[in-house]
Amino acid sequence: DAGITQSPRHKVTETGTPVTLRCHQTENHRYMYWYRQDPGHGLRLIHYSYGVKDTDKGEVSDGYSVSRSKTEDFLLTLESATSSQTSVYFCAIRDRDSAYNEQFFGPGTRLTVL
Amino acid sequence: AQSVTQPDIHITVSEGASLELRCNYSYGATPYLFWYVQSPGQGLQLLLKYFSGDTLVQGIKGFEAEFKRSQSSFNLRKPSVHWSDAAEYFCAKNTGGFKTIFGAGTRLFVKA
């Protein structure tokens, strides 16, 4: 258990509204990631962070922004939600003690945009 | 661009039968490779990992995987499948930095 929680676990919102998802970790990992999971696509990286206030884009970053003001929290914001952003969102951390760079995942947030 | 391919979208096996899930990757002589499992409504759990050394790696829940450099493959196997193994399985590869790319997944159905 990598001590990762995500909130909310489920959310339904309307097109055009802003949405913020939170990822919280308790073990002081430096690297944190946001993915979206869609059928037929596996997991695709949205944004990642390599330290407080240090973030970078992944392969599907359009329409998303992130912030990391403290080590334990990594926020994902959909600035103006669209139906194409209906998905399951996973947060992950990279195990700082491993030479393998494996990642460990939170339980996910199911987001529906109507 | 680097990629991970899982050729089978879904596979059905009988309980007690053997299982092999295929994974092919592109680029990288000795990549970091992983298999994850996702039960319905859950996050991904790491089954096993490979970087170097013995090309047959053991993981949790009785799974193993074999790295074959000549075939750019990292197939997941289990000698005898249990009904609780029904899930979606993802092969993944570290891209050389801090990122990991995932295959599209293979959903395993287990029939009694």
Side-chain angles (χ1 to χ4, degrees):
Chain A
D1 184 359
I4 306 168
T5 58
Q6 293 184 232
S7 59
R9 294 293 314 278
H10 302 270
K11 185 170 182 67
V12 179
T13 191
E14 294 188 349
T15 298
T17 60
V19 176
T20 296
L21 309 182
R22 179 182 184 238
C23 177
H24 179 78
Q25 54 119 342
T26 59
E27 298 184 1
N28 203 34
H29 295 285
R30 179 182 173 191
Y31 292 90
M32 299 182 74
Y33 305 80
W34 277 108
Y35 293 90
R36 60 177 290 171
Q37 183 180 27
D38 304 289
H41 292 278
L43 276 78
R44 292 180 291 174
L45 182 65
I46 305 171
H47 281 280
Y48 68 100
S49 170
Y50 46 96
V52 173
K53 299 191 188 306
D54 293 322
T55 65
D56 205 350
K57 296 179 180 180
E59 63 177 306
V60 290
S61 59
D62 288 349
Y64 301 94
S65 62
V66 291
S67 65
R68 192 165 178 204
S69 59
K70 45 186 179 176
T71 300
E72 58 266 35
D73 288 325
F74 191 32
L75 304 181
L76 175 71
T77 297
L78 288 64
E79 293 138 11
S80 177
T82 68
S83 58
S84 65
Q85 294 176 310
T86 292
S87 186
V88 181
Y89 291 85
F90 286 99
C91 174
I93 59 92
R94 172 176 169 253
D95 186 351
R96 68 183 185 279
D97 296 324
S98 171
Y100 290 82
N101 297 319
E102 67 260 45
Q103 295 181 13
F104 295 93
F105 288 81
T109 294
R110 182 172 295 277
L111 176 67
T112 302
V113 183
L114 302 176
Chain B
Q2 299 189 49
S3 65
V4 174
T5 302
Q6 295 181 244
D8 304 304
I9 297 173
H10 52 80
I11 282 181
T12 300
V13 300
S14 298
E15 192 169 16
S18 64
L19 170 70
E20 183 169 28
L21 302 182
R22 297 183 291 163
C23 173
N24 294 95
Y25 65 91
S26 71
Y27 195 81
T30 308
Y32 294 117
L33 295 164
F34 312 94
W35 274 99
Y36 288 86
V37 61
Q38 184 183 33
S39 298
Q42 305 295 315
L44 279 72
Q45 180 183 20
L46 182 66
L47 278 177
L48 47 78
K49 58 195 177 189
Y50 173 78
F51 170 56
S52 65
D54 191 344
T55 56
L56 186 64
V57 294
Q58 302 298 318
I60 62 171
K61 305 186 179 190
F63 285 91
E64 65 180 27
E66 185 172 15
F67 172 65
K68 292 186 177 179
R69 186 192 308 277
S70 62
Q71 299 177 18
S72 297
S73 69
F74 188 56
N75 294 349
L76 182 71
R77 302 195 294 245
K78 188 170 185 178
S80 178
V81 169
H82 187 262
W83 64 267
S84 60
D85 293 323
E88 190 155 22
Y89 292 80
F90 293 93
C91 183
K93 173 183 178 294
N94 181 272
T95 59
F98 311 121
K99 301 179 190 176
T100 299
I101 55 173
F102 291 82
T106 298
R107 183 166 294 278
L108 173 65
F109 297 96
V110 180
K111 60 182 181 181

